[in-house]
Amino acid sequence: MARVRERDVAAFESIYDGYHRLVHGIALKMLQDAMAAEDLTQAVFLKVWSSPEAFDSGNFGAWIARVTRNRSLDMLRSRALRVESDISADIPLEGSLDDMVFATLDAESVRTALASLPDDQRKPIELGFFGGVTHEEIARRTATPLGTVKTRIRAGLRKLRLQLETSVVG
Amino acid sequence: MNRHDDAFSESIAVFALGALPESEASAVAAHVRTCAECRAEYDDLRGVADLVGYQAESSRSELDELAAARMKLRIMRVVRADAEAPAPAGIPTVERVAASKRPWFAYGLAAAAVLVAAFVSVDDVGLRSHDASQTQNVATANDRAAQLAAASAAAETQRRSLERELALVVAPGSKHFAVPRGEVIESNGRLVIALTGVAAPPNGKTYQAWTLARGAKSVAPSITFAPDASGRAVVELPESAAGIAAVAVSVEPAGGSKAPTSKADFVRALT
Ligand SMILES: [Zn+2]
């Protein structure tokens, strides 16, 4: 990314090659529209090119996944319940060693780790990320008390972290 | 550091996932900023929450090679054009555009800068405007306007034509027809051929485009062109797209031919 800041096209191209399937996949899953997903992919990467300083440190893949998710939510914003995402994005992550190690993860290991979670933890997490709905909406859709949804999301994310750490260590 | 409040503990994970309603998120964010205990939990879970997106990575069946190539061509074309524009160092294109309250042409901004601005909204994460630096950006943009005014008429013409071609290529509603090493784009009633990895034509030769009118028995000559130094060619055909059924390209003697004298590099039906 340092080279992208210096307007290095080859550096940008290698980042594009590495992450376009991730960006496109998130956009497609959330927007359910092939053309819109392509347009959103273009918008996300042009943003990477035009304001590379928006990414400061940590895991680039995690960052671009979040940016794509938030841009997709912007597009879907017409829905009644708007989820606040920008506020959490405002708090810079402390670049922990783990997050750097996570940068080596691929989609397959994340899928495997997610699949290892119990359904009642995995579903609310996926709904929260891809559905862009609030925990209240998740509680309603899954017919679960709000407090239970919160507890399950927390337990699920903690377990996911453990699983991913294990898969990195091998 | 503020005192920890257990009332927030259960909400940190939901907040990290981005699934707290706005009304609650502000309070949790404020607490996370000042409570070491909750901050540690947030740091632990936020990175993991973002990785959930990896699950959706497109497979080859969701994004086939052709669609992937077309998408990449579109993006790299804009990025390359922007990189080649002599931009003032250190000032991101988007901020230059955002800083300008006057019409863009007053600053003579490069075509791609305008295009990028159209795609990238300035209210995005990390793009908060900086009042102090904006003033400086405008000053730099004015310097740049002076430089551009001094540029040659030929360069200006080339810039305008590239700008127009790029605008057509990425316009909403444009149709893209894949050809070897690129595509033919139909946009706003115009036709654009966009190719990469094109070898320079042999000495005394040129590339020539051809159009086939609907119902016609033979092709009509269109524009001649050559790729730039990096093998790219983006050319707008002088003909209107209306009534054109196919586009072809062949190598012809310099100056062009009235009818093709060599086998076409490609013939692409616009359907
Ligand atoms: Zn706390």
Side-chain angles (χ1 to χ4, degrees), chain A residues 48-123:
Chain A
V48 168
W49 170 253
S50 62
S51 43
E53 73 284 353
F55 171 72
D56 44 11
S57 68
N59 180 350
F60 181 79
W63 177 80
I64 202 170
R66 170 67 59 163
V67 168
T68 305
R69 181 239 189 208
N70 288 349
R71 294 290 298 230
S72 301
L73 282 188
D74 287 346
M75 268 187 131
L76 297 169
R77 198 169 262 175
S78 54
R79 60 179 63 185
L81 279 170
R82 229 200 99 205
V83 175
E84 182 48 56
S85 45
D86 287 349
I87 291 179
S88 65
D90 264 355
I91 302 180
L93 275 179
E94 303 286 333
S96 74
L97 187 63
D98 281 344
D99 288 324
M100 299 307 289
V101 172
F102 283 163
T104 63
L105 287 169
D106 58 11
E108 199 45 50
S109 33
V110 173
R111 284 196 191 109
T112 308
L114 268 169
S116 77
L117 298 186
D119 274 5
D120 63 9
Q121 291 176 6
R122 183 178 50 77
K123 280 185 181 148

Side-chain angles (χ1 to χ4, degrees), chain B residues 3-6 8-9 12 31 35-39:
Chain B
R3 282 232 327 273
H4 173 65
D5 179 349
D6 263 341
F8 288 107
S9 294
I12 305 295
H31 181 75
C35 169
E37 193 174 330
C38 290
R39 179 58 195 248

Side-chain angles (χ1 to χ4, degrees), chain B residues 5-257:
Chain B
D5 179 349
D6 263 341
F8 288 107
S9 294
E10 284 296 306
S11 297
I12 305 295
V14 184
F15 175 63
L17 185 62
L20 265 195
E22 231 168 310
S23 50
E24 288 175 56
S26 323
V28 173
H31 181 75
V32 165
R33 283 174 205 279
T34 57
C35 169
E37 193 174 330
C38 290
R39 179 58 195 248
E41 163 122 342
Y42 171 78
D43 284 342
D44 267 3
L45 298 185
R46 170 63 194 277
V48 182
D50 290 351
L51 288 172
V52 171
Y54 274 53
Q55 191 207 35
E57 188 176 88
S58 287
S59 63
R60 306 272 154 191
S61 61
E62 286 155 329
L63 180 64
D64 65 40
E65 295 301 330
L66 195 63
R70 188 185 65 212
M71 199 166 72
K72 181 173 176 179
L73 189 76
R74 266 170 87 190
I75 292 168
M76 292 309 297
R77 194 181 290 132
V78 177
V79 167
R80 286 205 177 94
D82 186 54
E84 283 162 14
I91 299 176
T93 305
V94 169
E95 289 200 11
R96 276 184 284 132
V97 176
S100 70
K101 293 281 182 264
R102 287 193 258 162
W104 63 270
F105 47 81
Y107 297 129
L109 292 173
V114 177
L115 288 167
V116 168
F119 285 106
V120 184
S121 70
V122 291
D123 62 351
D124 225 319
V125 185
L127 256 184
R128 316 269 175 251
S129 60
H130 313 288
D131 288 339
S133 69
Q134 275 201 3
T135 314
Q136 202 194 339
N137 291 351
V138 171
T140 316
N142 282 332
D143 289 351
R144 164 121 180 81
Q147 284 169 23
L148 268 177
S152 72
E156 181 65 11
T157 307
Q158 197 181 16
R159 189 183 67 76
R160 283 179 189 281
S161 115
L162 177 66
E163 168 186 293
R164 185 180 155 75
E165 284 151 5
L166 286 172
L168 284 172
V169 165
V170 298
S174 56
K175 290 185 207 153
H176 299 253
F177 304 97
V179 298
R181 296 191 307 277
E183 58 188 356
V184 175
I185 301 107
E186 184 184 341
S187 174
N188 287 337
R190 309 300 311 175
L191 291 168
V192 175
I193 298 175
L195 305 169
T196 57
V198 181
N203 270 345
K205 302 278 191 181
T206 182
Y207 288 99
Q208 183 168 1
W210 305 89
T211 57
L212 180 70
R214 212 159 284 136
K217 296 270 188 295
S218 59
V219 295
S222 182
I223 197 168
T224 60
F225 63 93
D228 66 14
S230 50
R232 287 190 304 277
V234 181
V235 288
E236 182 189 347
L237 304 191
E239 296 82 11
S240 153
I244 302 290
V247 170
V249 166
S250 66
V251 175
E252 299 295 330
S257 309

